[in-house]
Amino acid sequence: MHYGYPTRKGSHSTAFSPKTNLPPFIQALRRIRKRSLAVITVAVFFLFWLVAKLIGRNLVDPDAASPIFTKAPSGSPNVVIVTTLGPDASFNEALKRNRENYAAKHGYATFFPNMKDYPIGDSPRTWSKVPAVRHAMTKFPKTPFFFYIDERTVITNPTLSVEKHITDKARLESLMIADIPVVPPDSVIKTFGNIKGDRIDLIMTQDKEGLSQGSWILRRGEWAKFMLDSWFDPLYRSYNFQKAERHALEHIVQWHGTLLTKIALIPQNLLNSYTEKDHELAGEDGIWKDGDFMVSFPDCSEPPRSCKEEMNPFFRKTEVSASA
């Protein structure tokens, strides 16, 4: 007895139909080779680890990736003294000798641009100090510290080096005055505390009216460039502050925490002592006494006073000691 053959199938197989109930991304993953998936997984985990590491370091120390300039390489001065000069040639020579004698004693360099060298327009000529320091940073690209001393200040104790007297990390940390109003007596913005000495980029003093600008020390770095460029912004020069660049700096320091975090105020007599004629402006321990680093005459240009007459005795005294 013969049975009928089953129906013969066609030679073409039916196309496979994937399950439609799986999400599209699952279907895509199934098409990826296991090795490729492993490589991608490792790469993603490494990327997350790297980002977390960088963010964590910046939270602990926002300047961790920034170089700290403390020592110049061989052949470059560790400090450059900057003083802008006015029109009086004989007075300029006295200023230059005072700075040059001091610089020679400690291996520093000097830079004496003229106040007219910079485009300050109708602004007071004292604004020229800001681009002058920026200019010095360009001329001395390996120098870590720039020491601005204005034309109304005399170095009176040339035996003191900038490093040992002020900028050494431990020394600076012992000098910094924390939690005081930036502009006395009642500014609500106060100086920071617990800042490492090697993270300070601008060292200044304070008198009874605010930030003294007869002498200050700036450390090279991106922050320094930003600070000088912000300070010299045409907008601030157009404000016609009563005390020009002094009030402009006080304004931006109080309104921009990025600047204030890098500024240290130290006792006035360490960097910017005044004479008895300016005792009303001098802060605590701000009156000059023998042995102080320098003496400043902030209001000597106000008639009937004469900067030249008041400063000459100090020039002569330091020149005698330099030649001894």
Side-chain angles (χ1 to χ4, degrees):
M1 183 174 179
H2 297 279
Y3 295 95
Y5 289 104
T7 305
R8 191 172 184 175
K9 295 182 179 180
S11 59
H12 300 286
S13 60
T14 305
F16 173 75
S17 299
K19 293 183 179 181
T20 58
N21 60 340
L22 292 177
F25 77 93
I26 295 295
Q27 298 177 30
L29 286 176
R30 285 187 171 183
R31 290 194 294 268
I32 298 176
R33 294 180 180 179
K34 292 183 179 180
R35 182 177 297 178
S36 299
L37 181 60
V39 171
I40 292 174
T41 302
V42 171
V44 169
F45 274 106
F46 175 76
L47 181 61
F48 275 110
W49 174 84
L50 183 61
V51 171
K53 193 77 173 177
L54 292 174
I55 293 176
R57 182 173 65 173
N58 288 337
L59 288 175
V60 174
D61 186 354
D63 297 313
S66 302
I68 302 174
F69 297 95
T70 57
K71 184 70 176 176
S74 178
S76 297
N78 208 51
V79 177
V80 171
I81 298 171
V82 182
T83 296
T84 49
L85 303 177
D88 190 327
S90 62
F91 184 60
N92 289 343
E93 287 304 313
L95 287 171
K96 291 168 69 174
R97 284 195 304 271
N98 179 253
R99 278 63 163 157
E100 288 170 345
N101 289 338
Y102 173 71
K105 190 176 185 67
H106 298 282
Y108 303 156
T110 55
F111 181 54
F112 301 113
N114 194 285
M115 293 182 181
K116 295 181 179 180
D117 291 345
Y118 306 104
I120 58 175
D122 296 329
S123 302
R125 66 180 186 176
T126 52
W127 270 104
S128 61
K129 68 180 67 171
V130 185
V133 175
R134 193 72 161 85
H135 188 183
M137 292 173 68
T138 303
K139 287 183 66 69
F140 299 89
K142 302 297 183 181
T143 295
F145 293 106
F146 295 85
F147 188 7
Y148 179 79
I149 308 175
D150 75 4
E151 74 284 1
R152 291 173 291 186
T153 300
V154 182
I155 299 171
T156 54
N157 188 350
T159 64
L160 299 175
S161 71
V162 172
E163 296 89 347
K164 291 182 179 180
H165 185 53
I166 295 173
T167 61
D168 174 77
K169 179 178 180 293
R171 169 68 171 169
L172 181 56
E173 289 173 356
S174 71
L175 298 176
M176 291 189 295
I177 307 173
D179 199 35
I180 61 169
V182 173
V183 179
D186 52 6
S187 171
V188 297
I189 308 300
K190 299 183 178 182
T191 56
F192 289 95
N194 301 320
I195 301 178
K196 296 179 181 179
D198 57 3
R199 294 298 178 184
I200 294 297
D201 288 340
L202 178 59
I203 304 169
M204 306 188 77
T205 62
Q206 186 186 65
D207 59 22
K208 287 183 178 178
E209 292 190 349
L211 300 177
S212 302
Q213 295 181 23
S215 308
W216 41 274
I217 301 170
L218 182 68
R219 187 201 306 268
R220 170 185 296 282
E222 292 304 314
W223 182 92
K225 296 176 184 177
F226 168 72
M227 190 279 294
L228 292 173
D229 292 346
S230 299
W231 191 3
F232 197 61
D233 191 297
L235 179 64
Y236 293 123
R237 284 183 280 139
S238 70
Y239 282 171
N240 294 321
F241 289 108
Q242 182 181 5
K243 292 199 173 182
E245 76 285 352
R246 173 172 178 160
H247 283 173
L249 181 62
E250 292 172 352
H251 172 80
I252 61 177
V253 164
Q254 291 184 94
W255 283 94
H256 299 282
T258 304
L259 295 176
L260 186 57
T261 57
K262 293 286 192 175
I263 297 176
L265 296 183
I266 64 175
Q268 185 181 352
N269 62 336
L270 295 177
L271 190 61
N272 207 31
S273 300
Y274 293 170
T275 65
E276 286 291 346
K277 289 189 176 182
D278 292 303
H279 71 277
E280 293 183 355
L281 289 176
E284 185 178 357
D285 297 326
I287 297 298
W288 183 88
K289 57 184 180 296
D290 194 32
D292 281 355
F293 190 17
M294 48 186 52
V295 60
S296 185
F297 305 80
D299 286 341
C300 66
S301 59
E302 299 295 329
R305 295 176 62 180
S306 166
C307 293
K308 201 171 186 177
E309 291 180 4
E310 293 182 26
M311 294 170 68
N312 273 337
F314 291 93
F315 282 138
R316 288 194 293 267
K317 182 178 180 180
T318 55
E319 287 177 6
V320 169
S321 62
S323 60

